Amino acid sequence: MQAISQMPVVPVALTIAGSDSGGGAGIQADLKTFAFHRVHGTSALTCITAQSTRGVTRVDGLPVEAIAAQIDAVVQDMRVQGVKTGMLLNREIIAAVVERVKSLEFKNLVVDPVMVSRTGAQLIDDEAVTLLRDVLVPLGAIVTPNRYEAQILSGLQINTLDDMRAAAQRIHKCGVSGVLVKGGGMTGELRGVDVWFDGDCLETLRTVTVETRNTHGTGCTLSAAIAANLALGQDSLTAVKNAKNYVTEALQFSLEIGQGPGPVGHFFPLFKGGGLSEGKIS
């Protein structure tokens, strides 16, 4: 009788975020990203959205008890090595997630502080913004704000690369271990340029600029890729650089689907016939 080969041990990552019915962002993007990185993805839904490439038509928050129960069900059965948070919608949900994060002492926590869209539209109310900024962000190993979120977290206006650097350093003072200020909302030569600061290393991260309108889900995908890389045992800066490379390649194979901006192409190796190239960030 032929022996069954031992399967490799696969890391586990958890996304605590909202659902995107169009499949481009939220937990759908997160789980695709985890799978690409050969990490088993688990999820705790915080809200359900009715959305497509044309926009969001409805949002329903889940009961906080249901959110906490989902998190507990995962961690009581599996060893979770990477966690990310996405859309938390309101103050009550943020408070419930904070309580579980503190109780379970998550180490590799990536906080995607979903507060303001890349176009500057505020997505959650002021009380929720305050709680996320003052209580959840300091618990993170890495926080990944876009331009407008970084302005809220730092209290600074961001128009230049020096502004991004100053904001990253000020956000770091709140207690989070690593800060990645994203340049997707910047203009000109700064579009897509990110700034990393971890208390010692202040680094500007650049990749090639991909000209496409199909950028839906890039923020979710980036934070999920960072969480997956942390679960794989990478150090924070390496996890960030590899995640940024992943998003860049996925943008190069973004999907022209629907009537609005489509999502990035999570399964781009099926198109190109190879794996992810490393070491592209300068």
Side-chain angles (χ1 to χ4, degrees), residues 147 158-165 181-195 204-207 209 244:
R147 173 189 185 181
I158 299 176
N159 297 299
T160 67
L161 182 59
D162 284 341
D163 293 340
M164 294 174 70
R165 291 168 174 159
V181 175
K182 300 181 295 188
M186 302 296 285
T187 58
E189 64 180 14
L190 289 180
R191 186 163 65 91
V193 174
D194 301 338
V195 170
T204 303
L205 307 179
R206 304 175 187 267
T207 59
T209 300
K244 190 169 169 64

Side-chain angles (χ1 to χ4, degrees), residues 53-262:
T53 62
R54 295 189 297 177
V56 179
T57 58
R58 179 178 176 125
V59 181
D60 293 284
L62 271 65
V64 294
E65 296 84 3
I67 296 168
Q70 292 174 81
I71 297 170
D72 290 343
V74 171
V75 299
Q76 289 170 6
D77 183 49
M78 307 175 205
R79 188 167 76 89
V80 175
Q81 291 114 312
V83 182
K84 68 148 285 187
T85 62
M87 170 59 82
L88 301 182
L89 191 62
N90 58 42
R91 191 180 191 282
E92 292 73 26
I93 291 175
I94 295 171
V97 171
V98 164
E99 190 279 327
R100 299 318 294 139
V101 167
K102 287 183 175 179
S103 175
L104 296 167
E105 298 181 343
F106 289 133
K107 303 300 181 186
N108 291 328
L109 174 65
V110 180
V111 178
D112 185 2
V114 181
M115 300 184 289
V116 184
S117 73
R118 214 165 35 163
T119 60
Q122 187 165 321
L123 304 174
I124 58 178
D125 64 36
D126 290 340
E127 285 191 353
V129 166
T130 299
L131 188 63
L132 193 152
R133 180 192 64 205
D134 296 345
V135 183
L136 179 59
V137 168
L139 299 175
I142 298 174
V143 62
T144 61
N146 63 28
R147 173 189 185 181
Y148 300 104
E149 291 160 347
Q151 288 184 161
I152 292 173
L153 294 177
S154 68
L156 302 174
Q157 288 296 308
I158 299 176
N159 297 299
T160 67
L161 182 59
D162 284 341
D163 293 340
M164 294 174 70
R165 291 168 174 159
Q169 292 174 82
R170 182 170 291 188
I171 295 168
H172 182 265
K173 291 180 180 178
C174 79
V176 64
S177 298
V179 181
L180 183 71
V181 175
K182 300 181 295 188
M186 302 296 285
T187 58
E189 64 180 14
L190 289 180
R191 186 163 65 91
V193 174
D194 301 338
V195 170
W196 166 262
F197 184 65
D198 60 11
D200 295 312
C201 175
L202 179 62
E203 188 164 343
T204 303
L205 307 179
R206 304 175 187 267
T207 59
V208 296
T209 300
V210 181
E211 296 297 338
T212 176
R213 72 165 188 158
N214 301 315
T215 60
H216 185 50
T218 50
C220 302
T221 298
L222 178 66
S223 56
I226 295 171
N229 288 329
L230 292 175
L232 290 165
Q234 297 175 12
D235 65 83
S236 294
L237 183 53
T238 300
V240 166
K241 287 182 175 181
N242 286 337
K244 190 169 169 64
N245 286 336
Y246 170 69
V247 173
T248 300
E249 294 216 42
L251 280 168
Q252 291 172 345
F253 292 88
S254 60
L255 307 181
E256 186 67 40
I257 55 176
Q259 300 174 44

Side-chain angles (χ1 to χ4, degrees), residues 14-18 27 42-47 62 66-71 74:
L14 168 65
T15 170
I16 306 172
I27 62 158
T42 62
S43 62
L45 271 67
T46 59
C47 57
L62 271 65
I67 296 168
Q70 292 174 81
I71 297 170
V74 171

